[in-house]
């Protein structure tokens, strides 16, 4: 293997390691929410320092690669995509940390179970984690068709997010004493929806790298 190719593979390994860490953050944030595990929430927050360190390391590796090798064509697209994927993963880690911060201020009972069920929060976590896993496998295996599968899942998250507003309004009307819980839950739902957006963007970057197609601001169904 040429040194050029070795560096690309090393960069890919670093990004996949970061992917695993961010996936763990999101998964643990779900567990912390459902069990009101504040110790786990603090663990998620502490993990963010490692995610940030990964982001800096990968950014530097991408900059060094461009400076040393002046890549073109697919190699340049790969590096440009890595930069954006790196940023997307770091932002997903931030949202997982944000959910953990909300869990820390919960009372011991946490959010009422009926709120969680009615607003389909567990389903949002399932879809968001699935999107992270799909994009990771697509990046690892250079599979643009697999990357496309995240788009329909992002639509599901958007639909749940939009439906949550009237749903919570109704729950608050019936349980005005739980308005604070509803606001906390609304913030969590918004963070999960943004995680989906970033996974969607990562899918687009994988397709750009492999097929030189720019999907940003376009209807991916066209």
């Amino acid at each position: 293997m040429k040194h050029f190719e070795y560096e690309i593979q090393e960069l890919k390994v670093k990004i996949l390691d970061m992917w695993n860490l961010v996936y763990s953050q999101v998964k643990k944030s779900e567990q912390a929410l459902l069990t009101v595990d504040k110790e786990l929430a603090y663990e998620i927050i502490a993990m963010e320092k490692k995610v940030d360190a990964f982001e800096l390391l990968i950014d530097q590796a991408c900059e060094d690669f461009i400076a040393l090798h002046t890549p073109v064509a697919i190699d340049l697209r790969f590096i440009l995509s890595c930069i954006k994927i790196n940023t997307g993963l770091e932002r997903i880690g931030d949202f997982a940390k944000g959910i953990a911060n909300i869990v820390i201020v919960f009372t011991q009972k946490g959010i009422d179970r009926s709120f969680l069920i009615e607003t389909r929060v567990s389903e949002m976590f399932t879809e968001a984690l699935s999107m992270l896993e799909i994009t990771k496998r697509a990046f690892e295996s250079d599979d643009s068709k697999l990357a496309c599968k995240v788009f329909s899942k992002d639509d599901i998250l958007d639909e749940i997010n939009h439906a949550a507003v009237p749903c919570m309004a109704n729950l608050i009307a019936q349980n005005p004493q739980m308005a604070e819980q509803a606001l906390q839950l609304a913030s969590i739902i918004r963070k999960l929806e943004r995680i989906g957006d970033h996974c969607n963007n990562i899918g687009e970057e994988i397709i750009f790298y492999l097929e030189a197609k720019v999907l940003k601001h376009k209807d991916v169904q066209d």
Side-chain angles (χ1 to χ4, degrees):
M1 182 182 293
K2 296 179 181 178
H3 187 66
F4 180 98
E5 296 169 341
Y6 176 79
E7 288 186 22
I8 286 180
Q9 289 303 313
E10 283 290 293
L11 177 57
K12 200 166 190 176
V13 168
K14 288 185 177 72
I15 291 179
L16 290 170
D17 286 343
M18 184 180 183
W19 228 304
N20 289 333
L21 183 61
V22 170
Y23 182 94
S24 177
Q25 271 189 300
V26 177
K27 182 66 177 176
K28 288 181 178 181
S29 70
E30 178 184 22
Q31 183 181 346
L33 170 64
L34 296 178
T35 61
V36 198
D37 189 335
K38 297 188 179 186
E39 185 176 338
L40 183 59
Y42 280 115
E43 180 184 327
I44 295 163
I45 293 168
M47 289 169 70
E48 184 63 14
K49 291 183 179 179
K50 192 170 182 180
V51 173
D52 290 343
F54 259 121
E55 183 193 24
L56 294 174
L57 179 67
I58 292 167
D59 270 350
Q60 187 62 58
C62 290
E63 291 171 8
D64 291 346
F65 190 90
I66 291 172
L68 292 172
H69 302 292
T70 317
V72 296
I74 191 170
D75 294 321
L76 177 59
R77 295 200 306 272
F78 173 76
I79 296 299
L80 294 176
S81 294
C82 284
I83 292 170
K84 292 185 178 180
I85 290 170
N86 185 38
T87 299
L89 290 172
E90 191 277 333
R91 291 297 296 129
I92 291 170
D94 280 345
F95 289 123
K97 176 184 174 183
I99 293 171
N101 280 325
I102 294 172
V103 172
I104 288 170
V105 302
F106 280 170
T107 62
Q108 196 55 43
K109 290 184 179 179
I111 292 179
D112 188 272
R113 288 283 173 176
S114 64
F115 277 30
L116 295 174
I117 293 169
E118 291 290 332
T119 53
R120 299 161 63 190
V121 169
S122 290
E123 186 178 349
M124 290 192 84
F125 270 107
T126 297
E127 295 299 337
L129 287 166
S130 176
M131 292 175 77
L132 268 171
E133 179 62 28
I134 286 170
T135 49
K136 180 196 165 193
R137 287 193 287 114
F139 179 76
E140 190 172 18
S141 59
D142 294 336
D143 190 337
S144 58
K145 289 184 179 179
L146 181 58
C148 287
K149 291 185 177 181
V150 298
F151 303 137
S152 60
K153 289 184 173 292
D154 188 45
D155 290 340
I156 295 172
L157 288 182
D158 289 342
E159 183 268 318
I160 296 174
N161 178 53
H162 293 148
V165 176
C167 179
M168 281 193 290
N170 183 55
L171 288 169
I172 292 171
Q174 295 177 11
N175 308 276
Q177 74 279 9
M178 295 182 177
E180 183 178 351
Q181 284 193 18
L183 291 174
Q184 291 171 332
L185 184 56
S187 180
I188 290 170
I189 289 170
R190 178 57 179 160
K191 286 174 172 57
L192 288 168
E193 190 271 337
R194 292 296 293 131
I195 287 173
D197 286 344
H198 282 288
C199 287
N200 194 81
N201 293 342
I202 289 171
E204 291 178 356
E205 289 303 321
I206 293 169
I207 293 167
F208 164 72
Y209 147 54
L210 294 170
E211 300 186 7
K213 291 182 180 178
V214 178
L215 299 182
K216 190 175 182 180
H217 304 312
K218 291 185 179 181
D219 185 346
V220 296
Q221 301 300 321
D222 289 347

